[in-house]
Amino acid sequence: MTLTQHAPPQAGTTVTLDHVLDELAQRRTEFRDQRFVSPDFVDRLKEIGIYRAATPRRFGGDPQAPADFLRTIEKISVVDGSAGWVASFGSALIYLAALPVDTQAELYADGPDVVFAGGLFPVQPAAPTERGFLVDGRWKFASGSMGADILGVGIPGDDSTGGKPRTALLRPKDVEIVQEWDVVGMRGTGSFDLVVNKVEVPREWTFIRGGAPTVDEPLYHYPTIAYAAQVLAVVGAGVARSALDYALKVGAGVAGITGAPKLADRPYYRIAVAEAEAALRSARAYFYEVTEEVWNSVLSGDEPTDAQNAHLRLASSHLAKTSASAVTKIVEISGTGTIFTSHPLQQWTGDALVPQQHAFLGPAILDAAGAVLMGQPPTVPGFK
């Protein structure tokens, strides 16, 4: 999946993924330096269908099979992990399928290309009102918020939600975005804080994340929380692919500063690269295999089983961990040059770290998946 350069589109021609990847290669440093993906580039992602890939067909969307969307996010992430991370939330409109149908019709009234970003935690109290909830507080990790058309924040649930928290939707004009984001990885995601000051949100503009859809289309029968984990895991795979492509290219042509043989002439380097390559490809194969299996079940009219959901979660966590390990391995064998902050492996190392640290993909998911596969209840809340 090595990046190739493509000429920019001529005026009046259709924008393709290749055009967008080429522009991203030119602008990724800009996004990292300013700490968010610029809204005009988010518009470019809209042009290639990223933000209608989970919009219901009845509202003009073009819902994609999960594996197709995941492969697109992986390709974007090969070029830049932050942009891949932001684009991955094109899948988040599956959450909004739990809104009342009339609310969805209003949401998509201006078209199907809606960018949703959310800062869902920590859940903040919201006093009930006659119409809904009085939302007030501060939330973290609102990735992609600078280019969003609609923003979500987490508020408590009640008896009607089974205790699960709600997400309240607000227009950007009602939200202050605080640009607090000082991190070593995914620096360009704009995962800023959201601040809301006593804004009333009607009940019909709230939903339960992973709640039952009100739209009966195949994509909304695919496991929602598992899909949310998958789109993040595959970003790590794209980042790892970049690091491995770099290792193959540099190893074949660079001698050490001490006059030692070039890296590809060293057995330890060849072995480590080969092991990382095999591990990444194996993890990807499992990841996409179970994705296709579950999607085929959905298309056949079957509800995904608990075991299938567990495999989706397990494959995602495994891919995130394997991707981060692959990048770390490349750093270990690449010599003194990697200690410099300007070295590309520094960026890939930070970016690959982020998916495996996410709550959807961390070590607890392995325990929960193992429990389900052995017929026991999941050991973490929100596993399904």
Side-chain angles (χ1 to χ4, degrees):
M1 200 182 294
T2 304
L3 175 66
T4 56
Q5 296 295 313
H6 303 275
Q10 299 296 314
T13 61
T14 301
V15 175
T16 68
L17 176 60
D18 287 339
H19 295 139
V20 171
L21 295 181
D22 187 63
E23 180 178 344
L24 178 58
Q26 307 305 314
R27 300 185 64 185
R28 56 193 171 193
T29 301
E30 167 197 339
F31 301 156
R32 291 170 192 166
D33 288 347
Q34 70 186 15
R35 296 179 299 151
F36 63 89
V37 175
S38 297
D40 70 295
F41 189 79
V42 173
D43 288 340
R44 298 279 276 169
L45 295 173
K46 287 183 178 181
E47 291 183 70
I48 60 171
I50 294 295
Y51 293 105
R52 64 175 60 193
T55 299
R57 197 173 299 279
R58 66 180 295 175
F59 298 118
D62 184 20
Q64 293 184 12
D68 293 341
F69 183 78
L70 291 164
R71 288 189 175 94
T72 298
I73 298 305
E74 187 177 9
K75 289 177 182 177
I76 295 170
S77 302
V78 171
V79 184
D80 181 57
S82 290
W85 190 267
V86 170
S88 79
F89 291 100
S91 68
L93 295 183
I94 59 172
Y95 292 144
L96 307 192
L99 288 165
V101 172
D102 288 346
T103 303
Q104 293 185 58
E106 185 176 346
L107 178 68
Y108 299 116
D110 294 330
D113 300 296
V114 172
V115 182
F116 169 54
L120 306 182
F121 297 101
V123 171
Q124 300 286 0
T129 67
E130 185 175 340
R131 297 178 59 234
F133 304 92
L134 190 64
V135 177
D136 186 76
R138 182 166 178 158
W139 295 261
K140 303 193 73 64
F141 302 124
S143 301
S145 54
M146 296 296 287
D149 301 307
I150 194 82
L151 294 163
V153 296
I155 62 174
D158 51 31
D159 291 342
S160 68
T161 70
K164 295 180 179 178
R166 292 180 182 272
T167 299
L169 297 181
L170 302 102
R171 297 294 181 179
K173 66 180 180 63
D174 294 319
V175 181
E176 178 189 0
I177 298 175
V178 180
Q179 295 189 19
E180 183 176 290
W181 186 238
D182 184 12
V183 291
V184 298
M186 301 293 180
R187 290 199 297 266
T189 60
S191 301
F192 299 137
D193 291 7
L194 303 181
V195 175
V196 180
N197 184 20
K198 293 182 171 59
V199 176
E200 186 179 35
V201 177
R203 180 175 291 269
E204 64 269 21
W205 282 87
T206 71
F207 65 92
I208 305 168
R209 187 171 65 168
T214 58
V215 175
D216 187 16
E217 295 181 14
L219 184 59
Y220 313 110
H221 293 279
Y222 191 83
T224 304
I225 303 300
Y227 195 25
Q230 287 188 286
V231 299
L232 302 181
V234 83
V235 173
V239 172
R241 181 70 269 157
S242 286
L244 276 166
D245 286 347
Y246 175 86
L248 293 168
K249 180 180 179 181
V250 172
V254 176
I257 60 174
T258 62
K262 64 183 180 182
L263 292 171
D265 291 335
R266 307 177 194 185
Y268 71 83
Y269 189 89
R270 296 193 298 264
I271 291 170
V273 171
E275 288 177 338
E277 186 76 40
L280 180 64
R281 287 178 178 265
S282 299
R284 286 183 73 255
Y286 173 34
F287 178 84
Y288 283 111
E289 175 189 320
V290 69
T291 301
E292 298 282 10
E293 175 192 323
V294 177
W295 181 239
N296 286 335
S297 293
V298 170
L299 294 179
S300 297
D302 299 325
E303 282 295 314
T305 66
D306 288 346
Q308 285 178 320
N309 181 74
H311 276 294
L312 288 175
R313 300 301 303 270
L314 177 59
S316 300
S317 183
H318 179 59
L319 181 60
K321 181 179 180 181
T322 301
S323 299
S325 295
V327 179
T328 300
K329 176 62 69 175
I330 298 306
V331 171
E332 289 176 356
I333 62 173
S334 293
T336 308
T338 60
I339 69 173
F340 293 97
T341 56
S342 60
H343 197 283
L345 279 168
Q346 287 291 340
Q347 179 63 49
W348 292 320
T349 301
D351 285 352
L353 174 69
V354 175
Q356 75 163 3
Q357 301 301 110
H358 196 280
F360 279 177
L361 298 165
I365 299 303
L366 300 177
D367 179 34
V372 171
L373 293 176
M374 287 181 271
Q376 298 179 359
T379 53
V380 296
F383 186 72
K384 182 178 180 183

